[in-house]
Amino acid sequence: MNLEPGKRKILLVTGEASGDLHGSNVVKALRQRNPEIQILGVGGEKIRGAGARMVLDSSQLAVVGITEVLGHWGVLRRAYGTIKKVIQESGLNLLILIDFPDFNLMLAKVARKAGVPILYYIGPQVWAWRSGRVKKIASRVNRMAVIFPFEIPFYENAGLPVEFVGHPLLDILDANAEKEGSVPDGWKGDPLIALLPGSREKEVKSLLPEMIRGAEIIFQKRPGAQFLLPAAPTIPSRTLRDMVGSSSLPILVVEGKTYAAIRAADLVLVASGTATLETAVLGKPMVILYRVSPLSYWIGRALIKVKAIGLVNIVAGDKFVPELLQGEAVGEKMAAAALRILEDEPYRRDMLAKLGEVRKKLGTPGAADRVAGIALKMMQPTAPNG
């Protein structure tokens, strides 16, 4: 990796697909504000495409569940060694960490010892579990850029400078609206239901068969129903087509049209995660689904202190969207929850109103540019280090 001497350098690190997307927008904002800064990246194709000089491709780092991490420990350890060397030897002026908390907090410790200022964007969910990490974060990180307003007190109370920058989804949804276009003609079912089984293969293989079973039950009650199945970039569309191939249901697998599918839908069956917020911002009622290994779930429920799993419910402070977890995430219960939303008009109207309130709580567009502004201020010689 060739670095230009004398120029200021930023290393941006993320380990998952969502962080790659949000990180790429930060890279673009930084390059627009100051093209002379050298930006090094640990991420995926989006960060690479935004113009970062890649230190490491993070495609092998993304795992879900506590027990699943153990099986990837060797990969994580080698990646840590590579990035540690860059932090210690490249003369960095700033380290930007995005999500991926356990791994990134180890890097924060390295950077702190090396005297490199650290900005954490989309930080650990201390409001949900392991709140004691706030002290560790405050001892290693110089500044937080958070995406939910309710996160601010957690960091302020620990004496850590923090700023609410808004949720990056607002920019992503706006940017993709025109790009994706609309769903194919002829897919205007009564109702039209979007199936979002997740972005990881294990998650999809666990949830999609039950989603199809739920769709079959819905179709029996509502024979005009049609179903859209957007292919996540991390899941080959062929895999999805093979999984739905045995069903006689009108299910269309679409590529590159996730947001278009949500916009067109009357209802969304969605795996827990950021997609629940995407669905909320687009104003669509939903049923949230969640499945991991039994051990991961048992450990997680012992540690997590929030009552809801879905981000949309957590932001609302109200479990108003139905959640089907683990053994409850079966076709019969999915169909029952979906049919209630479709057929109980007061219930549906109430859910839509609350989704609107969630949208307001996520702030205004421009998160990546605000993060870039904070980063550049931290790189100034007179900027405080924490």
Side-chain angles (χ1 to χ4, degrees), residues 173 193-200 203-205 207-208 211-212 227-232 235 240 251-252 254 257-263 265 267-280 282 284-290 334:
L173 291 173
I193 298 174
L195 309 177
L196 275 65
S199 59
R200 299 177 177 92
E203 186 179 31
V204 171
K205 288 182 176 179
L207 285 176
L208 184 54
M211 295 173 87
I212 294 171
F227 305 88
L228 292 172
L229 177 53
I235 305 294
L240 299 179
I251 301 177
L252 177 66
V254 293
K257 289 184 177 292
T258 298
Y259 301 137
I262 297 172
R263 284 189 178 91
L267 171 72
V268 182
L269 300 181
V270 55
S272 177
T274 305
T276 69
L277 284 183
E278 294 171 337
T279 305
L282 293 172
K284 298 297 179 176
M286 72 192 90
V287 179
I288 297 171
L289 314 170
Y290 181 81
M334 293 180 197

Side-chain angles (χ1 to χ4, degrees), residues 5-67:
K7 287 193 173 183
R8 291 185 293 170
K9 305 176 188 70
I10 294 175
L11 172 61
L12 185 147
V13 180
T14 188
E16 297 180 303
S18 61
D20 185 44
L21 175 58
H22 302 323
S24 69
N25 288 330
V26 173
V27 172
K28 291 173 186 175
L30 284 166
R31 286 169 61 83
Q32 186 171 12
R33 281 174 170 259
N34 190 334
E36 297 301 312
I37 291 176
Q38 297 181 73
I39 305 174
L40 315 181
V42 174
E45 287 303 313
K46 287 185 170 58
I47 285 176
R48 185 192 303 274
R53 301 186 184 193
M54 300 305 291
V55 171
L56 188 75
D57 190 305
S58 65
S59 59
Q60 300 302 311
L61 302 183
V63 290
V64 60
I66 296 167
T67 57

Side-chain angles (χ1 to χ4, degrees), residues 207-217 243-244 247 249 251:
L207 285 176
L208 184 54
E210 291 297 335
M211 295 173 87
I212 294 171
R213 173 61 185 149
E216 290 171 345
I217 297 170
M243 293 181 73
V244 303
S247 174
L249 287 174
I251 301 177

